Amino acid sequence: MKTINVNIVTPDGPVYESDVEMVSTKAASGELGILPGHIPMVAPLQIGAVRLKNGGKTDLVAVSGGFIEVKPEKVTILAQSAEQSEEIDVERAKSAKLRAEERLHQQKRENIDFRRAELALQRAMNRINVSERHF
Amino acid sequence: MASLRDIKSRITSTKKTSQITKAMQMVSAAKMNRAEMNAKSFVPYMEKIQEVTASIALGSQDANHPMLTSRPVKKTGYLVITSDRGLAGAYNSNIIRTVYQTIQKRHKSTDEYAIIAIGRTGRDFFKKRGMNVILDIVAVSDQPSFTEIKDIASKTVGMYLDETFDELNLYYSHYVSAIQQDVTERKLLPLTDISSTGTLTSYEFEPNAEEILEVLLPQYAESLIYGSLLDSKASEHAARMTAMKNATDNASDLISSLSLVYNRARQAAITQEITEIVGGAAALE
């Protein structure tokens, strides 16, 4: 089967590089699946998982604050943070989740910190989900 | 002339100092290597984001974003990156001097500029002189991760967007090599000098170019700030390494000249003792 080269890079260095058959992820406007030969495209990503399918095996990478750049033979995902499922520190994500939930209970809705806590919660949940492979 | 014991104790204390500076030199050398590697691993991200930003910003005419267009400047922002600790030779003073002189030259009152300080030395200097420091962050680790700096970077970019200031200049020390670091001034915002080295690809935008720029440009500016921080961390350790190497060299010079003085004084004391004994013996005869 044809494959497409995928690169996931963060400011702290490259996280993932491999040739895969299909990339699927959640863009800001909805679910997105990319096969080799896709037209050039750029889209911002939601906090979520990137699924990389290759020969019956699926790799999961948790990304936040990123966008995807697609070229016919190459996909690049630029994210502010990204971790492969097996590299996620689950304990840390769980404590981050608790912290964020606590803060959400204290804050009023209009507060900027509320929005921040919400995002933190999303990131923590995403990490936990990816590490447990709930996708 | 100083007594033998005085000289001896000066030699010992200088030796101890040089042990410390020697250790600091080696620590800085190790940290410099790490910092250099960090700066290198950031390069692929920077290149990619630059390429994409350039192709979007230059590729589509309808792409209009406040971060791309210059507006009349009422207030200027200065982002200054210094270190937290001293003992790094002229590293901090070079940066601070450049910024201080530039501000003195360009602005008449504190309302015309705002300073964002990364690093304790810079923050303390400007605060002490009553200059307008609006944001600061200290105790950034030696191997900073992006999350450490993200908060201040996004606040800084946010301040440009809500028109707290109308342009943003970045001052940091650029790492050229282990023995050379240059103070660099860079205009960060508005992003007027986006250029691309590779060929421009024309992309489909999902949902559209403007919304992507909305996400992409702040990220681009933040990563520019992060990149400069990594660069200046490498310079800091290089500067500290050189400073500590000089200190160690000076200490060993001092030790050798003190040892000479010590040996001379010891010889003089021995000679004097012999003369006294001979004198005493002669008096008895």
Side-chain angles (χ1 to χ4, degrees):
Chain A
M1 220 178 138
K2 271 173 85 178
T3 57
I4 186 164
N5 183 257
V6 180
N7 254 308
I8 300 180
V9 273
T10 68
D12 297 322
V15 173
Y16 184 93
E17 197 197 343
S18 170
D19 289 317
V20 302
E21 286 160 6
M22 180 176 157
V23 183
S24 57
T25 183
K26 221 181 229 173
S29 48
E31 195 75 25
L32 196 68
I34 291 144
L35 292 169
H38 199 284
I39 51 163
M41 183 192 76
V42 177
L45 296 180
Q46 291 182 22
I47 294 172
V50 178
R51 275 154 292 161
L52 304 129
K53 219 172 268 179
N54 197 12
K57 194 170 130 271
T58 308
D59 289 328
L60 280 176
V61 180
V63 296
S64 69
F67 53 93
I68 186 167
E69 185 217 15
V70 183
K71 284 181 183 175
E73 72 298 342
K74 198 169 163 49
V75 171
T76 313
I77 293 172
L78 294 169
Q80 299 201 320
S81 73
E83 289 114 16
Q84 289 202 53
S85 54
E86 55 270 23
E87 278 163 17
I88 291 171
D89 186 342
V90 185
E91 288 310 311
R92 203 180 134 207
K94 279 185 180 152
S95 64
K97 183 180 166 224
L98 284 179
R99 255 200 325 270
E101 280 169 345
E102 236 165 68
R103 235 175 295 156
L104 283 177
H105 285 303
Q106 291 162 3
Q107 308 276 345
K108 292 200 184 69
R109 278 213 146 260
E110 312 80 62
N111 216 319
I112 309 170
D113 286 337
F114 187 83
R115 178 81 191 119
R116 273 227 209 119
E118 240 174 18
L119 284 174
L121 181 62
Q122 266 184 43
R123 281 197 296 270
M125 302 266 286
N126 179 40
R127 287 205 173 100
I128 293 168
N129 286 340
V130 169
S131 71
E132 289 165 0
R133 306 187 69 96
H134 279 287
F135 282 94
Chain B
M1 199 172 154
S3 79
L4 274 182
R5 203 178 334 127
D6 288 345
I7 303 173
K8 184 101 192 167
S9 74
R10 273 198 69 191
I11 293 178
T12 345
S13 78
T14 317
K15 256 186 194 150
K16 281 183 179 153
T17 313
S18 84
Q19 274 170 357
I20 295 170
T21 54
K22 177 96 193 183
M24 282 179 75
Q25 180 199 334
M26 289 192 290
V27 169
S28 296
K31 281 185 179 169
M32 185 188 77
N33 284 336
R34 286 274 292 281
E36 221 185 323
M37 267 163 50
N38 285 348
K40 270 199 192 117
S41 67
F42 175 68
V43 168
Y45 180 82
M46 196 63 235
E47 275 176 354
K48 204 70 215 173
I49 199 166
Q50 184 144 19
E51 188 191 317
V52 177
T53 314
S55 29
I56 299 176
L58 305 174
S60 61
Q61 274 73 35
D62 58 325
N64 232 328
H65 192 273
M67 282 172 79
L68 291 171
T69 46
S70 8
R71 52 183 187 237
V73 177
K74 289 195 275 319
K75 198 167 181 176
T76 312
Y78 292 91
L79 180 65
V80 185
I81 305 180
T82 55
S83 72
D84 280 347
R85 277 168 297 150
L87 294 180
Y91 171 78
N92 286 311
S93 48
N94 279 343
I95 303 170
I96 291 174
R97 192 187 329 112
T98 316
V99 178
Y100 189 67
Q101 284 172 353
T102 320
I103 290 179
Q104 294 294 330
K105 209 164 36 185
R106 284 192 203 156
H107 307 291
K108 287 189 189 64
S109 77
T110 49
D111 302 332
E112 293 174 19
Y113 65 86
I115 295 170
I116 296 152
I118 300 181
R120 185 169 286 125
T121 328
R123 180 195 68 173
D124 292 351
F125 178 91
F126 293 118
K127 275 210 170 143
K128 211 169 168 187
R129 275 160 191 75
M131 293 164 93
N132 189 11
V133 181
I134 46 171
L135 258 187
D136 62 75
I137 181 171
V138 295
V140 176
S141 65
D142 283 324
Q143 265 80 45
S145 67
F146 187 67
T147 36
E148 268 179 73
I149 196 73
K150 189 176 180 316
D151 210 33
I152 192 161
S154 58
K155 267 189 205 152
T156 307
V157 175
M159 279 180 181
Y160 174 80
L161 289 174
D162 65 21
E163 308 199 4
T164 311
F165 42 73
D166 308 294
E167 62 174 358
L168 179 65
N169 292 317
L170 176 65
Y171 286 84
Y172 68 102
S173 175
H174 172 57
Y175 175 84
V176 182
S177 69
I179 48 164
Q180 197 192 350
Q181 301 92 36
D182 297 337
V183 176
T184 312
E185 177 188 0
R186 185 164 181 187
K187 188 163 184 178
L188 202 62
L189 292 169
L191 297 161
T192 42
D193 59 342
I194 295 176
S195 59
S196 170
T197 43
T199 46
L200 295 181
T201 325
S202 64
Y203 292 105
E204 283 285 307
F205 299 115
E206 181 66 39
N208 57 48
E210 252 162 56
E211 271 181 51
I212 288 175
L213 283 180
E214 201 77 31
V215 182
L216 183 60
L217 288 177
Q219 246 189 62
Y220 177 63
E222 282 166 24
S223 47
L224 281 176
I225 296 175
Y226 180 62
S228 315
L229 179 73
L230 289 180
D231 199 354
S232 61
K233 278 286 174 195
S235 319
E236 178 194 332
H237 296 309
R240 183 165 293 129
M241 190 184 80
T242 320
M244 287 302 121
K245 189 178 181 308
N246 288 339
T248 315
D249 290 351
N250 287 343
S252 56
D253 282 355
L254 195 60
I255 289 170
S256 71
S257 72
L258 279 175
S259 319
L260 202 65
V261 175
Y262 176 77
N263 288 337
R264 224 176 255 154
R266 189 181 52 130
Q267 200 57 56
I270 293 169
T271 315
Q272 198 187 349
E273 229 169 90
I274 293 175
T275 329
E276 276 163 12
I277 293 168
V278 172
L284 283 178
E285 273 170 19

